[in-house]
């Protein structure tokens, strides 16, 4: 599109197949020509906050469709990369971004080993909620996932990351000493029964993507409602929130932990009161009625009293008008009044020594 920030894609083919592979927060598309000797083209996408793909009819092209792949159907369909905020991006080539660790989903064992063998890294001097967003070690974990993971384990978000993870390392070593010949099936059973933080980094996102519907798709209200009901902590009423040291909001329950930013008080999310269609809407008093509270409080009067008060009011009104007419000075004619005003201004300027305007 004209406003897309990604590079032009130098690819041209009458027909081609699109395949995809994901790793952490990145997606790689491969465009493979069909029936020709052309070379494949690969693109690596990052989605930012709002990036997504959607397949739709060509005549219903959505706004913010920044990259478009058209089908040969009749009528044609379009596979669109949509990004409202334009935080997402794509780049040419097949290389994953440097500095990203193993994927929490597809490379779980390598991900786990990468964390536990690098606990001396300065990244783990930070609170655990901030370390979980470091893609060098937690490739694929984002803001809502960190809240859900920490909530399930009742870990304060601002506990030191190294303190939390070194305990996992000790537990794992103890488990190996007790069960040196533990089979894979028993390991999986233990993981399901007593998951630790690194195991939840794998299983919690799997809960979202392994459902029949994409729970996080905001374009379908039913799916998004299911996603909201799946959340246990993130944006849930009753949970507290603080901004971490990088400015991201973290949601939690209970105490924030010893490394919480100074000068902030946790804020609790209030439940939104849903409107009752059968509830009676209260009547808001008009401005005029608010001005006359005393008149409304007067006792009712009879018809004779009303007529007498009205007559007294007419007589008082006539007398008041006669007094005003007698007291009012005789006003000059409009033209004479204007001339008198001009003379007064001219004499005032001369008295101050001002020059006349040109």
């Amino acid at each position: 599109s004209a406003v897309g920030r990604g590079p032009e894609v130098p690819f041209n083919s009458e027909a081609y197949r699109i395949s995809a592979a994901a790793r952490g927060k990145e997606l790689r598309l491969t465009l493979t020509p069909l029936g020709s000797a052309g070379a494949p083209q690969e693109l690596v996408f990052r989605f930012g906050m709002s990036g997504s793909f959607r397949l739709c009819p060509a005549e219903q092209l959505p706004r913010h469709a920044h990259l478009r792949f058209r089908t040969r159907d009749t009528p044609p369909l379009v596979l669109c990369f949509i990004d409202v905020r334009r935080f997402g991006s794509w780049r040419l080539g097949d290389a994953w971004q440097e500095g990203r660790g193993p994927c929490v989903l597809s490379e779980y064992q390598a991900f786990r080993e990468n964390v536990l063998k690098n606990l001396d890294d300065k990244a783990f001097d930070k609170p655990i909620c901030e370390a979980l967003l470091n893609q060098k070690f937690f490739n694929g974990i984002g803001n809502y996932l960190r809240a859900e993971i920490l909530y399930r384990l009742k870990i304060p978000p601002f506990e030191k990351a190294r303190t939390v993870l070194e305990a996992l390392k000790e537990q794992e070593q103890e488990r190996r000493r007790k069960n040196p010949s533990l089979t894979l099936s028993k390991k999986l059973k233990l993981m399901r029964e007593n998951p630790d933080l690194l195991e939840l980094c794998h299983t919690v996102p799997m809960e979202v993507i392994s459902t029949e519907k994409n729970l996080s798709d905001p374009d379908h209200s039913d799916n998004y409602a299911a996603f909201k009901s799946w959340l246990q902590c993130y944006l849930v009423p009753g949970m507290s929130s603080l901004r971490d040291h990088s400015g991201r909001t973290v949601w939690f329950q209970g105490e924030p932990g010893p490394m919480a930013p100074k000068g902030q008080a946790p804020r609790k999310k209030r439940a939104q009161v849903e409107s009752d269609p059968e509830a009676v809407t209260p009547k808001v008093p008009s401005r005029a009625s608010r001005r006359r509270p005393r008149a409304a409080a007067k006792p009712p009067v009879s018809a004779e009293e009303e007529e007498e008060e009205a007559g007294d009011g007419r007589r008082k009104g006539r007398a008041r008008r006669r007094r005003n007419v007698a007291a009012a000075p005789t006003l000059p004619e409009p033209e004479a009044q204007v001339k008198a005003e001009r003379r007064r201004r001219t004499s005032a300027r001369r008295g101050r020594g001002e020059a006349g305007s040109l």
Side-chain angles (χ1 to χ4, degrees):
S1 70
V3 296
R5 295 177 177 174
E8 293 289 334
V9 182
F11 179 77
N12 187 19
S13 178
E14 288 295 324
Y16 56 95
R17 181 180 64 250
I18 300 179
S19 56
R23 185 174 185 268
K25 287 192 173 185
E26 294 185 299
L27 180 77
R28 182 170 63 208
L29 293 188
T30 302
L31 315 180
T32 306
L34 301 178
S36 67
Q41 174 67 61
E42 290 179 303
L43 309 169
V44 177
F45 288 80
R46 295 176 62 189
F47 292 89
M49 291 179 65
S50 60
S52 65
F53 278 94
R54 187 191 309 170
L55 185 66
C56 62
E59 66 272 12
Q60 298 176 13
L61 196 68
R63 295 182 62 191
H64 309 290
H66 300 308
L67 199 60
R68 306 154 189 173
F69 305 92
R70 297 182 179 273
T71 72
R72 302 179 70 178
D73 298 305
T74 304
L77 299 174
V78 183
L79 178 66
C80 305
F81 175 65
I82 302 169
D83 187 13
V84 177
R85 293 182 176 89
R86 291 190 291 173
F87 292 164
S89 62
W90 67 86
R91 62 184 182 276
L92 305 177
D94 62 348
W96 303 113
Q97 186 182 29
E98 293 183 7
R100 288 181 177 265
C103 176
V104 296
L105 290 173
S106 60
E107 303 167 296
Y108 169 68
Q109 198 58 44
F111 148 71
R112 186 180 184 91
E113 293 173 0
N114 184 47
V115 172
L116 294 180
K117 74 180 182 182
N118 288 294
L119 291 182
D120 292 336
D121 193 284
K122 62 181 181 181
F124 300 107
D125 293 335
K126 296 182 178 182
I128 185 62
C129 66
E130 297 178 19
L132 282 171
L133 297 185
N134 189 328
Q135 301 301 294
K136 178 180 178 181
F137 298 104
F138 297 90
N139 187 12
I141 301 300
N143 201 15
Y144 84 89
L145 286 172
R146 71 170 174 176
E148 298 299 313
I149 292 165
L150 295 175
Y151 169 78
R152 296 189 186 192
L153 295 172
K154 308 304 178 189
I155 297 175
F158 292 95
E159 186 65 61
K160 191 173 184 177
R162 187 176 290 107
T163 302
V164 175
L165 294 168
E166 281 181 343
L168 300 189
K169 192 173 184 179
E170 294 171 2
Q171 291 172 9
E172 187 168 283
Q173 292 171 349
E174 183 67 21
R175 189 186 298 174
R176 287 177 179 175
R177 282 196 296 268
K178 289 183 178 180
N179 302 288
S181 59
L182 208 61
T183 63
L184 178 61
S185 60
K186 289 183 178 179
K187 287 181 180 179
L188 293 174
K189 183 180 179 181
L190 284 174
M191 184 176 75
R192 287 192 297 268
E193 292 175 352
N194 300 291
D196 61 30
L197 184 140
L198 297 180
E199 289 162 348
L200 285 184
C201 286
H202 173 74
T203 58
V204 172
M206 282 295 293
E207 290 178 14
V208 180
I209 67 170
S210 62
T211 54
E212 293 183 2
K213 294 182 178 180
N214 182 4
L215 291 181
S216 59
D217 186 356
D219 293 323
H220 297 84
S221 58
D222 292 342
N223 295 359
Y224 190 58
F227 174 66
K228 288 179 69 177
S229 65
W230 173 84
L231 293 170
Q232 299 179 34
C233 179
Y234 182 77
L235 291 177
V236 172
M239 296 296 160
S240 302
S241 66
L242 277 174
R243 290 190 179 276
D244 62 21
H245 295 90
S246 61
R248 300 286 299 274
T249 300
V250 57
W251 296 85
F252 61 95
Q253 185 181 52
E255 293 298 321
M259 299 182 72
K262 305 299 182 184
Q264 286 191 62
R267 296 178 297 172
K268 281 202 172 184
K269 182 172 176 60
R270 298 178 180 177
Q272 294 181 351
V273 180
E274 295 185 1
S275 59
D276 183 1
E278 298 182 358
V280 179
T281 305
K283 293 184 179 180
V284 179
S286 65
R287 188 176 298 177
S289 64
R290 288 197 297 267
R291 288 199 207 102
R292 301 192 300 271
R294 294 180 184 175
K298 284 185 179 181
V301 296
S302 63
E304 291 82 7
E305 289 173 327
E306 281 187 346
E307 188 173 331
E308 185 176 353
E309 287 180 3
D312 290 343
R314 286 193 293 269
R315 286 192 291 271
K316 290 177 181 177
R318 286 195 294 268
R320 192 179 300 113
R321 283 195 295 273
R322 284 195 296 270
R323 287 196 299 270
N324 290 342
V325 170
T330 303
L331 297 177
E333 293 294 326
E335 186 175 353
Q337 187 177 4
V338 172
K339 290 181 178 180
E341 182 67 14
R342 287 177 180 170
R343 285 195 296 271
R344 186 183 66 77
R345 290 178 182 173
T346 302
S347 61
R349 285 199 300 269
R350 288 174 179 170
R352 293 195 299 269
E354 296 179 2
S357 59
L358 298 177

